[in-house]
Amino acid sequence: MSELTDVLQAIESLSARGEKLALATIVAVRGSTYRRPGARLLVPEEGDLVGNISGGCLENDVADVAKIVMHEGIARIVSFDLTADDDAVWGWGLGCNGAFELFVEPADKAAEVAGALRMALEEERPICMVTVLESSAPNVEQGDRMLVRPGGDVERPFPDETLAASARAAALEQLANEQSEIRSLPSAAGEARAFVEVLEPPLRLVVCGAGHDAIPLVRQASALGWSPVVADDRPEFLSLERFPEAAAFVPVERPDKLGEVAPIDERTYVVVMTHNFLRDKDYVRSLLTTPARFIAMLGPAVRTERLLSELREEGVDISDADRRRIRGPAGLDLGAEGPEEIAAAICAEIVATKRGRAGGFLKDRPGPIHDRRAQLG
């Protein structure tokens, strides 16, 4: 289960029981920080905290602010600046040296967040939530929200038409970038400082081939909060006893018909691992007709090239864009041995691909670990 799902379920459960709570969301950072914008911490009046914003360094301090918010019923923006290089900071045992800005809001506003999260999960599509942090517009208040879908449809538009239009444009831009950040948005009379946040459902991983080595891949994908789907033309292999962590199974009559029956869209990652050349070729043949973002195959590079060459000879058009999304051999170069390590290498490559990284050693990275988006000024 993903952290996003944990927070969502906790909000819904506590709200249904009428219990007080507050929700803290990181909206901007500067320097080295453990979590990025969009990370959340749910603070109930009673019971354990849900979520994570700093790896345990600041949770108690944020919880103190959250309890004030839940009793006052008024949202707050709070900042924690840990960039000072002295014992006052490092004496806290912090693992980072950065600054956070958090938006802490009471139960009724947290319920709005839950609704947006639920929408993203149920529709299995990202959605952008534009939250007003500060506003000089007379008819727009702190905590007001507008939702924007990838196609541009808007729910609960801001009453200020100029602000609504600028928020929609910013949301579509951030959906395309798959990034969340703070924006200053113009309105008819003033401007609003808003957190333009992309809410994504769990990554969907389709595993083609239900062999023994697919088991640890599905297990690791589930542990990462992803939604692993197992497809095979051998229905007896598709069972919860074999794959207890699978989100779904797709029995296929023929591998070349996978694209017609599997849930594959532009945010789907696929790994082909049947260990049978002809089966793999038919899976890839079908996958090339889908918008899958990533198509990985086990086996050496020469096998992948032979498979693609045969498909071309059979009249399959493989564009440059198709070739870029095909990965073979699957996985980062970790020297992996055995199914568990290979599964880790494949999951690592998917993370690197999604984040636009090459997958090298962090110690060799010349710049900051994270990109500079959504930074504090």
Side-chain angles (χ1 to χ4, degrees):
M1 184 180 292
S2 68
E3 183 179 88
L4 178 148
T5 306
D6 289 340
V7 171
L8 167 63
Q9 292 184 349
I11 293 173
E12 292 177 334
S13 175
L14 291 167
S15 297
R17 297 199 300 267
E19 297 186 21
K20 290 184 177 180
L21 61 96
L23 182 66
T25 303
I26 296 178
V27 295
V29 298
R30 183 179 69 246
S32 175
T33 58
Y34 182 69
R35 298 301 302 272
R36 311 306 292 166
R40 288 185 164 84
L41 180 71
L42 177 67
V43 181
E45 187 174 33
E46 301 289 342
D48 296 332
L49 307 179
V50 180
N52 181 291
I53 54 172
S54 72
C57 305
L58 291 176
E59 271 69 6
N60 289 337
D61 297 271
V62 174
D64 289 340
V65 176
K67 287 179 180 178
I68 295 172
V69 167
M70 75 175 71
H71 288 288
E72 291 181 346
I74 301 172
R76 290 191 179 194
I77 298 175
V78 295
S79 298
F80 293 88
D81 190 346
L82 312 176
T83 56
D85 189 14
D86 57 30
D87 290 341
V89 171
W90 298 109
W92 288 358
L94 297 175
C96 14
N97 186 27
F100 302 78
E101 183 175 355
L102 297 100
F103 186 56
V104 188
E105 51 194 332
D108 57 336
K109 292 297 184 180
E112 293 179 4
V113 176
L117 293 174
R118 175 63 65 192
M119 193 178 300
L121 289 173
E122 291 181 350
E123 295 182 2
E124 291 194 90
R125 297 179 65 202
I127 190 169
C128 191
M129 181 169 64
V130 184
T131 302
V132 174
L133 304 178
E134 299 169 304
S135 173
S136 60
N139 56 346
V140 179
E141 298 180 355
Q142 182 187 60
D144 284 352
R145 285 192 166 88
M146 187 175 100
L147 301 178
V148 183
R149 287 185 168 83
D153 291 339
V154 173
E155 287 199 13
R156 297 207 312 265
F158 296 132
D160 185 306
E161 293 184 2
T162 302
L163 179 60
S166 60
R168 179 179 181 275
L172 290 175
E173 183 179 341
Q174 296 310 113
L175 281 165
N177 294 334
E178 298 182 347
Q179 297 277 355
S180 302
E181 67 179 21
I182 287 179
R183 292 286 193 91
S184 291
L185 304 174
S187 68
E191 67 175 18
R193 184 169 178 260
F195 183 41
V196 185
E197 181 183 11
V198 176
L199 302 172
E200 292 189 273
L203 181 150
R204 183 188 298 120
L205 175 66
V206 174
V207 179
C208 301
H212 177 74
D213 55 349
I215 296 173
L217 178 58
V218 170
R219 183 184 306 125
Q220 291 194 32
S222 176
L224 288 167
W226 300 350
S227 179
V229 177
V230 186
D232 205 293
D233 59 344
R234 300 164 294 181
E236 66 274 14
F237 280 39
L238 302 177
S239 68
L240 285 174
E241 289 75 23
R242 186 174 179 81
F243 295 99
E245 299 86 4
F249 297 104
V250 179
V252 291
E253 185 175 344
R254 290 169 27 190
D256 62 350
K257 300 296 184 181
L258 174 73
E260 300 176 11
V261 294
I264 298 174
D265 58 19
E266 64 281 351
R267 46 174 294 275
T268 303
Y269 292 70
V270 184
V271 179
V272 179
M273 51 190 308
T274 73
H275 299 283
N276 178 289
F277 184 83
L278 295 179
R279 268 200 187 102
D280 283 1
K281 185 169 72 170
D282 280 343
Y283 273 124
V284 174
R285 186 196 310 275
S286 182
L287 287 165
L288 287 171
T289 67
T290 73
R293 178 176 298 191
F294 173 102
I295 304 169
M297 288 177 282
L298 296 191
V302 64
R303 180 181 187 271
T304 298
E305 291 306 322
R306 178 188 163 200
L307 186 151
L308 296 178
S309 177
E310 289 194 10
L311 286 174
R312 289 189 185 96
E313 290 171 1
E314 294 168 12
V316 176
D317 179 37
I318 302 175
S319 66
D320 290 342
D322 286 332
R323 192 62 189 88
R324 285 192 294 272
R325 61 181 175 145
I326 294 172
R327 309 298 182 96
L332 294 187
D333 184 7
L334 306 180
E337 295 286 349
E340 287 77 14
E341 290 186 358
I342 291 171
I346 293 172
C347 288
E349 182 184 15
I350 291 172
V351 172
T353 301
K354 180 171 175 55
R355 306 296 182 209
R357 295 294 182 87
F361 294 112
L362 284 175
K363 70 181 183 64
D364 296 331
R365 184 173 175 81
I369 293 175
H370 300 288
D371 63 34
R372 293 295 189 183
R373 289 183 179 272
Q375 295 276 317
L376 283 167

